[in-house]
Amino acid sequence: MTFRILCLDGGGVRGVMPARILQKVEEQLGSPLKDHFDLIAGTSTGSILAAGIAIGKSPEELLNLYNDKGLKIFPYQNLFSLKRLPLILKYGISAPKFSDEGLIAALREQFEDKKLSDITPNHEGATDSLKVLIPSYDTESRNPVIFKSWCHDRWYADVPVWEICVSSASAPTYFPAHRIEKDGKEYSLIDGGVCANNPVSCALAEAIKLLRQSSNQSAANVIDQIKIISIGTGDPASPISWQKVRGWGLIQWGLHIADVFMDAPPDVHRYVAEQIIGNQSNYIRLQLPLKEPLLNMDDARESNLQALLKETDDYINQEQERLDKFLVNW
């Protein structure tokens, strides 16, 4: 058997890029994406895409989410906007840039009352039903939380999908941490990008575990059964020079640290996955280089979204042959 994985990075409004690429993938596969994967993993904005695909939404519908709701989630660009005043009054001068009200409203509308466990109704060890994996990070325990739709005995099994996605997308400096209280315990959840902005190594580890449980084979024997499509939200092409960062202190790093942690983990997790998979015919990474100002994760203005889509379309045209070759035996 072949175990097929889709992995989707975090990156704010740059989620329009994997959404566009997924339009092309779905077109080539000829039927809804959810029918072609065993496990979909997504972090932050990627969690929204992953959960959306799993419940049967098309890439076009998810792309429209960014177009229609982007400015409600990221309503301004300037950190000193008067619209931010309520947050400053509530949290102080170091308040997050945005309220999470727009994000919560958009995701509640998108996922309604669906629970994470509704995505995978079969028992925990089953490999024959679609699964979703979403990373977040709990500041209370200081540990990652890996939400898994097939683990029905976990504390989060009946947590709504929208709330799981908010937990994974609450990027430090951009949004407040998201609080969930279950069974008398409090979880303070922030963006999964702090630990796994590219969730590919998490997904690969779970796939190996599931396949070993179902077949009693060794890890080495099941690896060749795994195929992965991993899609990023743009790789920064503009370096930050030593001359520039050597004198940075708390304020400068504070303004840039979210972008840095979103950039560094994807390459680490990519490296791990590539070393384990080995066979490059079973793994493809789609990640286009981006320069300023398109790197901004919170610029939801139509002009920026259209510029991102144009860059993505150009990239797809360049990578079409490689993608076709990879998908031909999918």
Side-chain angles (χ1 to χ4, degrees):
M1 66 172 290
T2 300
F3 193 92
R4 298 173 177 86
I5 301 174
L6 173 63
C7 293
L8 302 162
D9 289 17
V13 297
R14 299 198 325 249
V16 298
M17 297 156 67
R20 176 71 101 198
I21 293 172
L22 288 171
Q23 280 186 301
K24 187 63 179 179
V25 172
E26 184 174 81
E27 178 184 317
Q28 290 183 254
L29 294 175
S31 56
L33 287 172
K34 71 185 299 288
D35 299 335
H36 296 276
F37 295 97
D38 300 287
L39 172 61
I40 304 177
T43 300
S44 195
T45 199
S47 75
I48 300 168
L49 296 173
I53 292 165
I55 66 171
K57 292 186 179 294
S58 69
E60 183 178 5
E61 289 179 285
L62 295 168
L63 190 56
N64 289 337
L65 172 64
Y66 293 92
N67 290 324
D68 296 341
K69 305 296 184 181
L71 284 175
K72 294 186 181 299
I73 298 170
F74 302 106
Y76 44 82
Q77 293 297 298
N78 194 330
L79 192 63
F80 302 101
S81 170
L82 289 177
K83 294 180 181 179
R84 187 168 169 259
L85 187 57
L87 281 173
I88 295 174
L89 293 175
K90 183 175 182 179
Y91 298 115
I93 193 65
S94 61
K97 186 173 181 180
F98 303 105
S99 164
D100 58 5
E101 292 178 1
L103 177 64
I104 289 174
L107 295 184
R108 293 193 76 156
E109 180 181 333
Q110 193 75 196
F111 297 114
E112 299 176 333
D113 59 352
K114 292 181 177 62
K115 296 179 175 60
L116 189 65
S117 56
D118 293 336
I119 293 174
T120 312
N122 290 356
H123 61 85
E124 182 168 337
T127 57
D128 58 352
S129 56
L130 177 60
K131 299 169 176 58
V132 169
L133 180 153
I134 295 173
S136 182
Y137 184 86
D138 178 26
T139 67
E140 291 277 355
S141 66
R142 300 292 289 268
N143 280 305
V145 176
I146 309 298
F147 296 107
K148 295 180 280 191
S149 65
W150 64 98
C151 293
H152 295 176
D153 60 343
R154 305 293 172 86
W155 65 267
Y156 52 75
D158 62 350
V159 172
V161 171
W162 69 262
E163 197 160 15
I164 298 291
C165 291
V166 171
S167 299
S168 184
S170 293
T173 75
Y174 288 95
F175 295 110
H178 186 71
R179 178 179 176 272
I180 296 179
E181 186 174 353
K182 291 289 293 183
D183 303 322
K185 184 175 180 180
E186 181 179 272
Y187 300 87
S188 170
L189 298 159
I190 62 173
D191 199 299
V194 303
C195 54
N197 202 45
N198 174 356
V200 65
S201 62
C202 302
L204 180 56
E206 293 294 340
I208 292 171
K209 179 181 177 181
L210 288 164
L211 288 170
R212 291 189 66 191
Q213 287 175 342
S214 65
S215 66
N216 292 318
Q217 297 182 63
S218 68
N221 288 334
V222 301
I223 286 172
D224 285 342
Q225 301 173 34
I226 299 170
K227 298 188 74 170
I228 301 174
I229 298 175
S230 175
I231 307 177
T233 57
D235 189 27
S238 302
I240 306 175
S241 68
W242 172 77
Q243 288 86 352
K244 186 174 183 178
V245 301
R246 65 175 178 166
W248 281 7
L250 181 63
I251 294 176
Q252 293 94 331
W253 276 114
L255 292 171
H256 291 86
I257 195 65
D259 295 330
V260 172
F261 81 63
M262 288 293 187
D263 174 37
D267 291 332
V268 173
H269 290 275
R270 173 187 56 77
Y271 172 81
V272 171
E274 288 177 356
Q275 299 308 304
I276 294 173
I277 287 288
N279 183 358
Q280 292 302 297
S281 65
N282 284 355
Y283 170 91
I284 188 171
R285 172 70 169 167
L286 300 169
Q287 172 78 307
L288 60 154
L290 279 182
K291 295 182 179 180
E292 295 282 1
L294 295 180
L295 288 172
N296 293 336
M297 295 186 294
D298 60 348
D299 187 352
R301 293 173 296 182
E302 183 179 0
S303 59
N304 189 62
L305 296 182
Q306 290 305 312
L308 287 168
L309 290 174
K310 181 183 182 303
E311 291 291 316
T312 306
D313 290 340
D314 291 343
Y315 175 78
I316 292 171
N317 289 334
Q318 295 169 11
E319 298 294 322
Q320 189 65 64
E321 184 177 349
R322 185 167 72 105
L323 183 58
D324 288 347
K325 184 178 179 180
F326 187 80
L327 291 175
V328 68
N329 294 316
W330 186 257

